[in-house]
Amino acid sequence: MDMIQEGTLKPVIDKELSLEEAAEGLRMMRPRGHGQDRGDAVSETTTLPTAAEIEEKLLKGPFHQWLGLKVLSVGDGTIELKATWRPEMVVNAERGYMHGGILATLVDLTADWALVSKTGRGVPTVDLRVDYHRAGMQGDLIAKGKVVKFGSTLSVAEAEILSEDGKLLASGRGVYMTASPK
Amino acid sequence: MDMIQEGTLKPVIDKELSLEEAAEGLRMMRPRGHGQDRGDAVSETTTLPTAAEIEEKLLKGPFHQWLGLKVLSVGDGTIELKATWRPEMVVNAERGYMHGGILATLVDLTADWALVSKTGRGVPTVDLRVDYHRAGMQGDLIAKGKVVKFGSTLSVAEAEILSEDGKLLASGRGVYMTASPK
Amino acid sequence: MDMIQEGTLKPVIDKELSLEEAAEGLRMMRPRGHGQDRGDAVSETTTLPTAAEIEEKLLKGPFHQWLGLKVLSVGDGTIELKATWRPEMVVNAERGYMHGGILATLVDLTADWALVSKTGRGVPTVDLRVDYHRAGMQGDLIAKGKVVKFGSTLSVAEAEILSEDGKLLASGRGVYMTASPK
Amino acid sequence: MDMIQEGTLKPVIDKELSLEEAAEGLRMMRPRGHGQDRGDAVSETTTLPTAAEIEEKLLKGPFHQWLGLKVLSVGDGTIELKATWRPEMVVNAERGYMHGGILATLVDLTADWALVSKTGRGVPTVDLRVDYHRAGMQGDLIAKGKVVKFGSTLSVAEAEILSEDGKLLASGRGVYMTASPK
């Protein structure tokens, strides 16, 4: 790659390079050992982790425990979770509305873990965008995540949060730093 | 306004009307009693609520209690809050990183309550956007909110979340439904 | 509705009311003539506008003409458009990358017009969020829009922008002010 | 850094690493020549580029020419631009509203070039978020950009778009790939 031989990465940050080329530039600069892992077809085609395996990883996080998370299913670039309602989640005690921050949290973590079939674990969130569609009331929550675009440096994934009876409460997307797949 | 006399609101949704005109159309259709309140110069110029008054309102929310919120100051279109760290906020027990959902929650509620000098209370969030800049570690959090644009139907406000030692952890914005100022 | 009889809309802006209840409050305050139109089952089930009809409306906009827009298909809450490449769309003359602003424009207008089966025309954009996945090169663009949530005051819709050979270049969402369905 | 000696980057993508640590991990893996450049205090403190120098770079982009961009001033992490109104920018010929895509384009490019004192040129946009505050009418536009957080891999910057008479029309933020400062 010319720009590296020149001892400069100028083109990486130029509009002369597109986003994916810039990302590719970063990827190519990784140590050999890692680069080999990345292209390893085996790692791409191995059996998906089970819901139980992902749930075990997920529940290492204290806030995930607090949310009472359960992994219902894991697919290739998808995940379905359940969160357990608790009274502290409420923003308005009289009317029982759930705090929007709980729904935002679920969008973040569900989109993040939708990437797990490719990343093997939770990854850092770059940014998060949440649309609120309907108030969450008392009751557990279903969260469905899906990868929009998986990239070697950055990925986009989305999630929907539904009430137990299937009403769409919130949905949104995040950008995640998937700089190094397993 | 012609469109109301015609018994139709077609122009409201047209690109023929700008966003603020559409919002204005909604505002004009409100009952007189409310319309009068809105234009009331007194309500705009009355003394700001005190931090203690806002804290009392804020802490009616169970999740706000859980977050250990304190109101440090309230200005005209600004607010400064403090949230109290607790171990359940952590996403990674080993390293102690705070869950991004906690930071997102603080961006949401701080931007929301930055509007309180105009709204008198918390208002529904339409959408939320959060940028993550640095991991939050153990320690209380400072949250600073500011109104970007106050409108009679929809408003935009922003917030920064900082560590106790002043490092920027996250920042972002929300759109809020301020359909009816007090 | 008690709050209207009281000559006050205070609850509308309270977290005591959810977003959809606040929106519903606004809707209920509309003039009767309009309210009746809204609930009219006939207007919901009438024949979809044709692609030619929508294209005619869309092309009244000078910037839409500049973009060389064509309406490929219109469904219930969906639309598919084509934009015609032109050399002014490029950000980098040497490499030929399309400007991200063109892709953002297409996300905005495609999500907006995905609502057309419900709104009858373009509506004001409240906010827009765009993820860039891959650089756009010389060539026409396909834009697919879909309603995420249609509401009587605010709606969310999303769009994907693809190259002619089907590669995902950008995707995103907007919130639109659908205060008054046709 | 242990993980590199181990020939694996697993921790990079883990929530075990924060966003900035993951970014730092990528940075550390860059070729020496580049790493040295990065920490070079001289490059950080050299004279700012002039408005004329930036304008020359900016206007290499055909769409930037079409927008009639002028660079009014460049600061450390700030920029102020002007765009020249043209009739093709209009979405509604009868009322003269400017297309929201033009405003989105200006938010994107102004936030991007607010980074220029650190990047030396335009960089790839990862994502873009735009709030619309008021319709743009016939007239040139002023665009003010500011860096929110500069990072070695990803940066956040924001922009405001104003009418000639100083009214806030739109504002927003983008995430940019600043993987390699000059």
Side-chain angles (χ1 to χ4, degrees):
Chain A
M1 213 168 164
D2 286 346
M3 62 181 173
I4 293 179
Q5 288 163 358
E6 291 166 16
T8 166
L9 288 172
K10 278 177 189 170
V12 172
I13 60 153
D14 201 331
K15 283 284 190 196
E16 292 166 28
L17 274 194
S18 68
L19 179 58
E20 78 265 25
E21 284 179 305
E24 178 68 5
L26 284 177
R27 196 186 66 73
M28 289 183 66
M29 281 176 283
R30 288 175 194 155
R32 292 274 174 203
H34 173 65
Q36 287 166 349
D37 287 346
R38 265 215 84 257
D40 186 351
V42 176
S43 74
E44 299 285 349
T45 57
T46 45
T47 318
L48 283 171
T50 67
E53 285 166 352
I54 298 306
E55 187 171 305
E56 189 190 338
K57 287 188 184 183
L58 196 60
L59 289 180
K60 286 184 182 160
F63 196 48
H64 293 166
Q65 294 168 24
W66 188 89
L67 291 163
L69 296 180
K70 287 168 195 159
V71 178
L72 303 183
S73 66
V74 178
D76 181 18
T78 64
I79 199 164
E80 191 167 338
L81 303 172
K82 188 171 189 173
T84 310
W85 185 86
R86 52 189 301 161
E88 298 94 328
M89 290 177 175
V90 169
V91 68
N92 182 297
E94 194 182 325
R95 286 170 173 264
Y97 299 138
M98 193 170 290
H99 200 290
I102 300 294
L103 299 172
T105 298
L106 290 172
V107 169
D108 174 28
L109 74 88
T110 306
D112 192 328
W113 288 79
L115 293 156
V116 77
S117 58
K118 299 178 185 290
T119 59
R121 64 203 74 202
V123 291
T125 309
V126 173
D127 70 36
L128 176 68
R129 285 121 325 140
V130 180
D131 292 296
Y132 293 98
H133 305 301
R134 182 187 288 265
M137 305 304 290
Q138 182 169 343
D140 296 347
L141 297 163
I142 302 298
K144 299 179 181 182
K146 193 170 72 173
V147 174
V148 173
K149 173 81 191 313
F150 184 74
S152 57
T153 301
L154 295 171
S155 296
V156 176
E158 65 187 12
E160 292 186 337
I161 313 302
L162 302 104
S163 61
E164 280 180 304
D165 57 349
K167 286 180 181 151
L168 182 64
L169 305 181
S171 60
R173 286 180 165 203
V175 173
Y176 298 91
M177 185 166 276
T178 46
S180 169
K182 54 191 158 151
Chain B
M1 219 168 162
D2 285 347
M3 62 180 175
I4 293 180
Q5 288 163 356
E6 292 166 15
T8 166
L9 289 172
K10 277 178 189 168
V12 172
I13 59 153
D14 201 331
K15 282 285 192 198
E16 292 166 27
L17 274 195
S18 67
L19 179 58
E20 77 263 27
E21 285 179 304
E24 178 70 5
L26 283 177
R27 196 188 65 72
M28 289 184 67
M29 283 177 281
R30 285 175 195 154
R32 292 272 173 204
H34 172 64
Q36 287 165 350
D37 286 347
R38 266 215 85 258
D40 186 353
V42 177
S43 74
E44 298 284 349
T45 59
T46 45
T47 318
L48 284 171
T50 66
E53 284 166 352
I54 298 306
E55 186 171 305
E56 190 192 337
K57 287 188 184 183
L58 196 60
L59 289 180
K60 286 184 182 160
F63 195 49
H64 294 166
Q65 293 167 24
W66 188 89
L67 291 163
L69 296 181
K70 286 167 195 161
V71 178
L72 302 183
S73 66
V74 178
D76 182 18
T78 64
I79 200 163
E80 191 166 339
L81 304 171
K82 188 171 189 172
T84 310
W85 186 86
R86 51 188 303 161
E88 299 95 325
M89 290 177 174
V90 169
V91 68
N92 183 296
E94 195 181 325
R95 286 168 174 265
Y97 299 138
M98 192 170 291
H99 199 288
I102 300 294
L103 299 172
T105 298
L106 289 173
V107 169
D108 174 27
L109 73 88
T110 305
D112 192 330
W113 287 79
L115 293 157
V116 77
S117 58
K118 299 176 185 291
T119 58
R121 64 203 73 199
V123 291
T125 309
V126 173
D127 69 36
L128 176 68
R129 283 116 335 133
V130 180
D131 291 297
Y132 294 98
H133 305 301
R134 182 187 289 265
M137 305 304 289
Q138 182 169 343
D140 297 345
L141 297 163
I142 302 297
K144 299 179 180 182
K146 192 171 73 172
V147 174
V148 173
K149 173 81 191 313
F150 184 73
S152 57
T153 300
L154 296 170
S155 296
V156 176
E158 63 187 14
E160 291 187 337
I161 313 301
L162 303 104
S163 61
E164 280 181 302
D165 58 349
K167 285 180 180 153
L168 183 64
L169 306 181
S171 60
R173 286 183 165 200
V175 174
Y176 298 91
M177 185 166 277
T178 46
S180 169
K182 55 191 155 154
Chain C
M1 219 165 162
D2 285 348
M3 62 181 175
I4 293 180
Q5 288 164 356
E6 291 166 16
T8 167
L9 288 173
K10 279 177 188 169
V12 172
I13 59 154
D14 201 330
K15 282 284 191 198
E16 292 166 27
L17 274 194
S18 67
L19 179 58
E20 77 265 24
E21 285 179 306
E24 178 68 6
L26 284 177
R27 196 188 66 72
M28 289 184 66
M29 282 177 283
R30 285 176 194 153
R32 292 272 172 204
H34 172 64
Q36 287 166 350
D37 286 346
R38 263 218 86 256
D40 185 354
V42 177
S43 74
E44 298 285 350
T45 58
T46 45
T47 318
L48 284 172
T50 66
E53 284 165 352
I54 298 306
E55 187 171 304
E56 189 191 339
K57 287 188 184 185
L58 196 60
L59 289 180
K60 286 184 182 160
F63 196 49
H64 293 166
Q65 294 167 25
W66 188 88
L67 291 163
L69 296 181
K70 286 167 195 161
V71 178
L72 303 182
S73 66
V74 178
D76 182 19
T78 64
I79 199 163
E80 192 166 339
L81 303 171
K82 188 171 190 172
T84 310
W85 186 86
R86 52 189 302 161
E88 298 95 326
M89 290 177 175
V90 168
V91 67
N92 183 297
E94 194 182 325
R95 287 169 173 265
Y97 299 139
M98 192 169 292
H99 200 288
I102 300 294
L103 299 173
T105 298
L106 290 173
V107 170
D108 175 27
L109 72 88
T110 306
D112 193 329
W113 287 79
L115 292 156
V116 77
S117 58
K118 299 178 184 292
T119 58
R121 65 202 73 201
V123 291
T125 309
V126 173
D127 70 34
L128 176 68
R129 283 112 343 127
V130 180
D131 291 297
Y132 293 98
H133 305 302
R134 183 186 287 265
M137 304 305 289
Q138 182 169 342
D140 296 345
L141 297 163
I142 302 297
K144 299 179 181 183
K146 192 171 73 171
V147 174
V148 173
K149 172 80 192 309
F150 183 74
S152 56
T153 301
L154 295 171
S155 296
V156 176
E158 64 186 15
E160 291 186 337
I161 313 302
L162 303 104
S163 61
E164 281 181 302
D165 58 349
K167 285 180 182 154
L168 182 64
L169 306 181
S171 60
R173 285 183 165 199
V175 173
Y176 298 91
M177 185 166 276
T178 46
S180 169
K182 56 194 155 150
Chain D
M1 218 166 162
D2 287 347
M3 62 181 174
I4 293 179
Q5 289 164 356
E6 292 167 15
T8 166
L9 288 172
K10 278 178 188 168
V12 172
I13 59 152
D14 201 329
K15 282 283 190 198
E16 291 165 29
L17 273 195
S18 68
L19 179 57
E20 77 264 28
E21 284 179 306
E24 179 68 5
L26 284 176
R27 195 186 66 73
M28 290 184 66
M29 282 177 284
R30 288 176 193 154
R32 290 274 174 204
H34 172 65
Q36 287 165 350
D37 286 346
R38 264 217 84 258
D40 186 352
V42 177
S43 74
E44 298 285 348
T45 58
T46 45
T47 318
L48 284 171
T50 66
E53 285 166 352
I54 299 306
E55 187 171 306
E56 189 190 337
K57 288 189 183 183
L58 196 60
L59 289 180
K60 286 184 182 159
F63 196 49
H64 292 166
Q65 294 168 23
W66 188 89
L67 290 164
L69 295 180
K70 287 167 194 158
V71 178
L72 303 183
S73 65
V74 178
D76 181 18
T78 65
I79 199 163
E80 191 167 339
L81 304 170
K82 189 171 190 172
T84 309
W85 186 86
R86 51 189 302 161
E88 299 94 327
M89 290 178 175
V90 169
V91 67
N92 181 297
E94 193 183 326
R95 287 170 171 264
Y97 299 138
M98 192 169 289
H99 199 290
I102 299 294
L103 299 172
T105 298
L106 290 173
V107 170
D108 175 27
L109 73 88
T110 306
D112 192 329
W113 287 78
L115 292 156
V116 76
S117 58
K118 300 177 185 291
T119 59
R121 65 202 74 202
V123 291
T125 309
V126 173
D127 70 37
L128 176 68
R129 283 114 340 130
V130 180
D131 291 296
Y132 293 98
H133 305 302
R134 183 187 288 266
M137 305 304 290
Q138 182 169 344
D140 296 346
L141 297 164
I142 301 297
K144 299 179 181 182
K146 193 171 72 171
V147 174
V148 173
K149 173 82 191 312
F150 183 74
S152 57
T153 301
L154 295 171
S155 296
V156 176
E158 64 186 13
E160 292 186 337
I161 313 303
L162 302 104
S163 61
E164 281 180 302
D165 57 349
K167 286 182 181 151
L168 182 64
L169 306 181
S171 59
R173 287 181 163 200
V175 173
Y176 298 91
M177 186 167 274
T178 47
S180 169
K182 50 185 163 161

